[in-house]
Amino acid sequence: MPRSPTAIPFSAAILAGGRSTRMGRDKAFLPAPNTGIPLIAHQAALLRSLGTDDLLISGKAGVDYGIPGARVVTDAVADRGPLGGLAAVIAAARHTQVLVIAVDLPHLTDAYLKKIIAAAHGSIGVVPQGPDGFEPLVAVYPKGFHPLIEAALAAARLSLQPLIQAAVTDSILLPLPIAERERLLFTNWNTPIDLNR
Protein backbone atom coordinates (compact mmCIF):
# COMPACT_ATOMS: atom_id res chain seq x y z
CA MET A 1 0.00 0.00 0.00
CA PRO A 2 1.39 3.47 -0.87
CA ARG A 3 2.45 5.60 2.06
CA SER A 4 0.62 8.85 2.69
CA PRO A 5 2.70 12.00 3.19
CA THR A 6 0.45 12.74 6.17
CA ALA A 7 -0.12 10.85 9.38
CA ILE A 8 -3.77 10.37 8.41
CA PRO A 9 -4.66 8.34 5.29
CA PHE A 10 -6.66 10.34 2.75
CA SER A 11 -8.91 9.74 -0.20
CA ALA A 12 -8.30 11.69 -3.41
CA ALA A 13 -10.78 12.69 -6.08
CA ILE A 14 -10.82 14.29 -9.51
CA LEU A 15 -13.85 16.35 -10.49
CA ALA A 16 -14.39 15.46 -14.15
CA GLY A 17 -18.15 15.37 -14.56
CA GLY A 18 -18.71 18.81 -16.08
CA ARG A 19 -20.29 19.33 -19.48
CA SER A 20 -17.22 21.09 -20.97
CA THR A 21 -19.62 23.23 -23.00
CA ARG A 22 -17.24 26.15 -23.53
CA MET A 23 -14.37 23.84 -24.42
CA GLY A 24 -16.45 21.97 -26.99
CA ARG A 25 -15.10 18.56 -25.96
CA ASP A 26 -14.60 16.63 -22.74
CA LYS A 27 -11.76 18.31 -20.85
CA ALA A 28 -10.82 15.02 -19.18
CA PHE A 29 -9.35 13.79 -22.46
CA LEU A 30 -7.43 16.91 -23.49
CA PRO A 31 -3.66 16.35 -23.77
CA ALA A 32 -1.78 17.41 -20.65
CA PRO A 33 1.07 19.91 -21.05
CA ASN A 34 4.52 18.40 -21.64
CA THR A 35 3.36 14.77 -21.70
CA GLY A 36 0.37 14.77 -24.03
CA ILE A 37 -1.38 12.05 -22.00
CA PRO A 38 -5.08 12.63 -21.28
CA LEU A 39 -5.57 15.21 -18.57
CA ILE A 40 -7.54 12.74 -16.45
CA ALA A 41 -4.55 10.33 -16.50
CA HIS A 42 -2.18 13.18 -15.65
CA GLN A 43 -4.26 14.20 -12.63
CA ALA A 44 -4.67 10.58 -11.50
CA ALA A 45 -0.91 10.02 -11.62
CA LEU A 46 -0.36 13.23 -9.66
CA LEU A 47 -2.76 12.15 -6.92
CA ARG A 48 -1.36 8.63 -6.76
CA SER A 49 2.16 10.02 -6.38
CA LEU A 50 1.02 11.49 -3.06
CA GLY A 51 0.32 8.07 -1.58
CA THR A 52 -3.46 7.80 -1.58
CA ASP A 53 -4.96 4.31 -1.55
CA ASP A 54 -8.44 5.53 -2.51
CA LEU A 55 -8.81 7.33 -5.86
CA LEU A 56 -12.20 8.52 -7.05
CA ILE A 57 -13.39 10.24 -10.21
CA SER A 58 -16.52 12.35 -10.18
CA GLY A 59 -17.56 11.60 -13.73
CA LYS A 60 -20.26 10.92 -16.25
CA ALA A 61 -22.16 7.63 -16.28
CA GLY A 62 -21.01 5.28 -19.00
CA VAL A 63 -17.68 7.00 -19.67
CA ASP A 64 -14.51 4.90 -19.49
CA TYR A 65 -11.85 7.21 -18.06
CA GLY A 66 -9.14 4.59 -18.49
CA ILE A 67 -7.82 4.83 -14.91
CA PRO A 68 -7.37 1.31 -13.47
CA GLY A 69 -8.31 1.02 -9.82
CA ALA A 70 -10.15 4.34 -9.66
CA ARG A 71 -13.77 4.37 -8.60
CA VAL A 72 -16.06 6.47 -10.80
CA VAL A 73 -18.95 8.07 -8.92
CA THR A 74 -21.79 10.03 -10.47
CA ASP A 75 -23.85 12.84 -9.01
CA ALA A 76 -26.96 11.76 -7.13
CA VAL A 77 -28.81 14.66 -8.78
CA ALA A 78 -27.72 15.87 -12.21
CA ASP A 79 -26.92 19.45 -13.19
CA ARG A 80 -25.76 20.66 -9.80
CA GLY A 81 -22.29 21.70 -10.99
CA PRO A 82 -19.18 21.18 -8.88
CA LEU A 83 -21.28 21.02 -5.72
CA GLY A 84 -22.93 17.81 -6.92
CA GLY A 85 -19.52 16.32 -7.68
CA LEU A 86 -18.18 17.26 -4.26
CA ALA A 87 -21.19 15.68 -2.57
CA ALA A 88 -20.67 12.45 -4.51
CA VAL A 89 -16.96 12.02 -3.86
CA ILE A 90 -17.04 13.02 -0.19
CA ALA A 91 -19.92 10.59 0.44
CA ALA A 92 -18.09 7.77 -1.38
CA ALA A 93 -14.62 8.39 0.10
CA ARG A 94 -13.20 5.72 2.40
CA HIS A 95 -11.18 8.12 4.54
CA THR A 96 -12.05 11.07 6.78
CA GLN A 97 -10.13 13.57 4.62
CA VAL A 98 -10.65 13.92 0.86
CA LEU A 99 -8.19 15.77 -1.39
CA VAL A 100 -10.20 17.12 -4.32
CA ILE A 101 -8.85 18.60 -7.56
CA ALA A 102 -10.57 19.66 -10.78
CA VAL A 103 -9.55 17.86 -13.95
CA ASP A 104 -8.98 21.17 -15.79
CA LEU A 105 -6.13 22.46 -13.59
CA PRO A 106 -3.09 21.18 -15.51
CA HIS A 107 -0.42 23.14 -13.62
CA LEU A 108 -0.92 21.67 -10.14
CA THR A 109 2.18 20.18 -8.55
CA ASP A 110 2.77 17.43 -6.05
CA ALA A 111 4.66 19.92 -3.84
CA TYR A 112 1.62 22.19 -3.56
CA LEU A 113 -0.80 19.34 -2.94
CA LYS A 114 1.50 17.97 -0.22
CA LYS A 115 1.42 21.43 1.35
CA ILE A 116 -2.36 21.53 1.61
CA ILE A 117 -2.58 17.91 2.78
CA ALA A 118 -0.06 18.65 5.53
CA ALA A 119 -2.12 21.66 6.67
CA ALA A 120 -5.23 19.52 7.20
CA HIS A 121 -5.58 17.80 10.54
CA GLY A 122 -8.12 15.77 12.45
CA SER A 123 -11.58 16.78 11.28
CA ILE A 124 -10.47 20.11 9.78
CA GLY A 125 -9.90 20.47 6.04
CA VAL A 126 -8.04 23.11 4.04
CA VAL A 127 -9.09 25.44 1.23
CA PRO A 128 -6.69 27.79 -0.59
CA GLN A 129 -7.65 31.47 -0.57
CA GLY A 130 -6.45 34.10 -3.00
CA PRO A 131 -7.30 37.71 -3.78
CA ASP A 132 -10.39 36.64 -5.76
CA GLY A 133 -11.76 34.33 -3.08
CA PHE A 134 -11.50 30.67 -2.21
CA GLU A 135 -10.26 27.97 -4.58
CA PRO A 136 -12.71 25.18 -3.69
CA LEU A 137 -11.68 22.86 -6.53
CA VAL A 138 -8.22 22.31 -5.02
CA ALA A 139 -8.92 21.55 -1.40
CA VAL A 140 -8.96 18.97 1.36
CA TYR A 141 -12.47 18.32 2.63
CA PRO A 142 -13.35 16.45 5.81
CA LYS A 143 -16.36 14.15 5.93
CA GLY A 144 -17.90 16.70 8.30
CA PHE A 145 -18.35 19.08 5.37
CA HIS A 146 -20.82 16.75 3.67
CA PRO A 147 -23.93 17.80 5.69
CA LEU A 148 -23.36 21.44 4.67
CA ILE A 149 -23.17 20.40 1.02
CA GLU A 150 -26.33 18.33 1.29
CA ALA A 151 -28.20 21.24 2.90
CA ALA A 152 -27.01 23.60 0.17
CA LEU A 153 -28.07 21.16 -2.56
CA ALA A 154 -31.49 20.69 -0.96
CA ALA A 155 -31.97 24.47 -0.95
CA ALA A 156 -30.60 24.80 -4.51
CA ARG A 157 -27.81 27.09 -3.25
CA LEU A 158 -25.14 26.01 -5.71
CA SER A 159 -22.57 28.80 -5.26
CA LEU A 160 -19.45 27.45 -3.59
CA GLN A 161 -18.01 30.69 -2.20
CA PRO A 162 -20.65 31.32 0.51
CA LEU A 163 -20.69 27.64 1.41
CA ILE A 164 -16.92 27.59 1.86
CA GLN A 165 -17.09 30.79 3.91
CA ALA A 166 -19.66 29.18 6.20
CA ALA A 167 -17.40 26.15 6.64
CA VAL A 168 -14.44 28.41 7.44
CA THR A 169 -16.56 30.31 9.99
CA ASP A 170 -17.60 27.00 11.57
CA SER A 171 -13.93 25.83 11.69
CA ILE A 172 -14.65 22.92 9.34
CA LEU A 173 -12.19 24.34 6.82
CA LEU A 174 -8.97 26.27 7.36
CA PRO A 175 -8.17 28.93 4.74
CA LEU A 176 -4.63 28.74 3.36
CA PRO A 177 -3.35 31.94 1.70
CA ILE A 178 -2.11 31.50 -1.86
CA ALA A 179 1.37 32.98 -2.36
CA GLU A 180 1.98 35.08 -5.46
CA ARG A 181 4.26 32.41 -6.93
CA GLU A 182 1.49 29.81 -6.49
CA ARG A 183 -1.21 31.63 -8.43
CA LEU A 184 -0.27 30.00 -11.75
CA LEU A 185 -1.18 26.62 -10.27
CA PHE A 186 -4.84 27.64 -10.31
CA THR A 187 -4.97 28.48 -14.03
CA ASN A 188 -7.76 26.37 -15.45
CA TRP A 189 -8.81 25.40 -18.96
CA ASN A 190 -12.34 26.47 -19.86
CA THR A 191 -12.11 27.37 -23.57
CA PRO A 192 -9.82 26.39 -26.46
CA ILE A 193 -7.95 29.69 -26.02
CA ASP A 194 -6.94 28.60 -22.52
CA LEU A 195 -4.96 25.65 -23.90
CA ASN A 196 -2.08 28.03 -24.60
CA ARG A 197 -1.87 29.08 -20.96
Side-chain angles (χ1 to χ4, degrees), residues 43-71:
Q43 300 294 63
L46 178 63
L47 292 176
R48 283 189 166 141
S49 76
L50 303 173
T52 185
D53 63 354
D54 184 31
L55 180 63
L56 301 103
I57 298 171
S58 167
K60 303 176 192 75
V63 175
D64 180 4
Y65 290 96
I67 309 298
R71 293 186 290 141

Side-chain angles (χ1 to χ4, degrees), residues 13-164:
I14 306 167
L15 298 182
R19 293 182 179 178
S20 302
T21 305
R22 287 179 287 168
M23 184 61 72
R25 55 184 169 146
D26 194 331
K27 289 188 277 188
F29 299 103
L30 292 171
N34 303 321
T35 65
I37 66 171
L39 205 48
I40 188 77
H42 172 81
Q43 300 294 63
L46 178 63
L47 292 176
R48 283 189 166 141
S49 76
L50 303 173
T52 185
D53 63 354
D54 184 31
L55 180 63
L56 301 103
I57 298 171
S58 167
K60 303 176 192 75
V63 175
D64 180 4
Y65 290 96
I67 309 298
R71 293 186 290 141
V72 178
V73 296
T74 56
D75 297 359
V77 180
D79 300 323
R80 291 295 186 259
L83 198 59
L86 283 177
V89 297
I90 294 173
R94 294 182 183 134
H95 297 298
T96 301
Q97 298 280 12
V98 188
L99 171 62
V100 175
I101 65 173
V103 74
D104 63 353
L105 292 166
H107 303 298
L108 291 174
T109 65
D110 60 346
Y112 185 77
L113 296 179
K114 286 176 183 176
K115 175 180 174 178
I116 66 171
I117 293 167
H121 56 280
S123 60
I124 299 175
V126 173
V127 60
Q129 184 177 24
D132 298 323
F134 299 109
E135 293 287 352
L137 303 187
V138 181
V140 179
Y141 292 103
K143 285 278 194 176
F145 185 54
H146 193 259
L148 273 72
I149 297 177
E150 288 295 324
L153 286 170
R157 296 190 310 267
L158 305 183
S159 176
L160 284 169
Q161 293 294 321
L163 181 62
I164 297 296

